[in-house]
Amino acid sequence: MGAHSSESFTDEALSDTLGTPTSSGEQARIPFDHPGVPELLAVLAYGEISAFYRLAEDARMAPSMQGRVALASMAAAEMNHFETLVNALSDRGVEVYSAMDPFVRALDDYHASTNPSTWLEVLVKAHVGDGLAADFYREIAHTLDPAVAATVREVLAETGHSEFVVHEVSTRVKASSQDKARLMLWGRRLLGEAITQAQFVLAQRESLTDLVITSSGDLNGVAALFDRMQEQHSERMGVLGLI
């Protein structure tokens, strides 16, 4: 599926997807017991465990031992993050596997529609695709209860792969305009699919939707959030030499 432009994510479309806006004069702090918080932790948890399996599988495509080790290290970090989220959900009395279940389809669909076919696509997805999700959650983290925000920021922490990925990708695209063109298209595909699945999740989960709208202020704030995600995506692509 192609990338979505920010212009297509209109107030009308947001209203259809997210329901009635809940405007506020300034961004409100999300209380610890907001019903959307367990859903937020659960979607993060499934994102981390699915990333673990994906990275472990993609490591087999690495052309060098260095590449295999780099992805294995990233996968290990994702598993550690998953365990952090399991503990956070357990502390709330939430059973993690049933809590994750509503988000399986959207995240599995994202990975199925962005299955890399080359090592370079693996690296770009690891750096740019995962960054899109992190950008979305960081945008709302500052309005969460401090304890919840700390957990969210911990599991979105850099997994230590940026320098390796940037070097590998930028070196190749400098040497091959064909690789560069293909990876630019790949990056747009990652963006489009990420936004599509984010919208799908929000449309299905009322409590999580309320959390995001409250965090953003209103529907205009949510639209602005998606706009910022696209800007940050462009910045990451630029770092890789894909502009």
Side-chain angles (χ1 to χ4, degrees), residues 90-136:
S90 297
D91 288 345
R92 290 173 170 264
V94 177
E95 202 284 316
V96 63
Y97 296 102
S98 59
M100 290 191 301
D101 189 63
F103 307 107
V104 169
R105 176 183 171 186
L107 288 169
D108 284 359
D109 284 352
Y110 168 73
H111 288 304
S113 63
T114 58
N115 188 35
S117 59
T118 69
W119 175 238
L120 288 176
E121 287 183 357
V122 167
L123 295 179
V124 172
K125 182 176 178 180
H127 185 66
V128 175
D130 291 354
L132 282 164
D135 290 340
F136 179 82

Side-chain angles (χ1 to χ4, degrees), residues 13-238:
L14 276 164
S15 296
D16 292 340
T17 302
L18 301 176
T20 304
T22 54
S23 300
S24 60
E26 57 186 44
Q27 292 185 331
R29 182 164 297 280
I30 307 298
F32 183 84
D33 60 353
H34 187 287
V37 170
E39 293 191 344
L40 174 65
L41 297 176
V43 70
L44 280 168
Y46 190 70
E48 296 295 333
I49 195 63
S50 60
F52 166 78
Y53 287 118
R54 171 176 54 82
L55 289 166
E57 182 177 349
D58 289 348
R60 295 180 298 179
M61 298 175 67
S64 67
M65 178 65 73
Q66 183 183 10
R68 289 194 293 274
V69 170
L71 256 67
S73 176
M74 292 161 60
E78 303 287 12
M79 178 57 76
N80 288 336
H81 294 161
F82 173 72
E83 292 172 351
T84 296
L85 289 160
V86 169
N87 291 335
L89 285 164
S90 297
D91 288 345
R92 290 173 170 264
V94 177
E95 202 284 316
V96 63
Y97 296 102
S98 59
M100 290 191 301
D101 189 63
F103 307 107
V104 169
R105 176 183 171 186
L107 288 169
D108 284 359
D109 284 352
Y110 168 73
H111 288 304
S113 63
T114 58
N115 188 35
S117 59
T118 69
W119 175 238
L120 288 176
E121 287 183 357
V122 167
L123 295 179
V124 172
K125 182 176 178 180
H127 185 66
V128 175
D130 291 354
L132 282 164
D135 290 340
F136 179 82
Y137 297 118
R138 286 196 189 100
E139 284 281 347
I140 64 176
H142 71 282
T143 63
L144 298 171
D145 173 89
V148 180
T151 298
V152 170
R153 291 192 178 102
E154 178 181 350
V155 301
L156 296 177
E158 174 60 59
T159 54
H161 65 281
S162 291
E163 184 176 347
F164 171 78
V165 172
V166 170
H167 174 74
E168 288 279 299
V169 175
S170 61
T171 299
R172 285 288 297 273
V173 300
K174 286 177 183 176
S176 171
S177 58
Q178 187 175 27
D179 282 340
K180 179 176 181 178
R182 281 200 299 262
L183 292 175
M184 288 174 68
L185 288 173
W186 178 241
R188 288 197 284 272
R189 181 175 176 182
L190 292 170
L191 173 65
E193 292 295 338
I195 291 178
T196 295
Q197 297 310 325
Q199 292 176 356
F200 176 80
V201 168
L202 292 177
Q204 300 299 313
R205 308 304 301 176
E206 183 177 345
S207 294
L208 184 58
T209 299
D210 180 74
L211 184 152
V212 173
I213 293 177
T214 303
S215 173
S216 303
D218 56 22
L219 291 179
N220 288 330
V222 179
L225 184 156
F226 279 95
D227 286 343
R228 289 193 296 275
M229 283 177 60
Q230 295 182 65
E231 292 168 2
Q232 291 159 340
H233 171 79
S234 296
E235 291 173 5
R236 283 196 181 87
M237 292 287 283

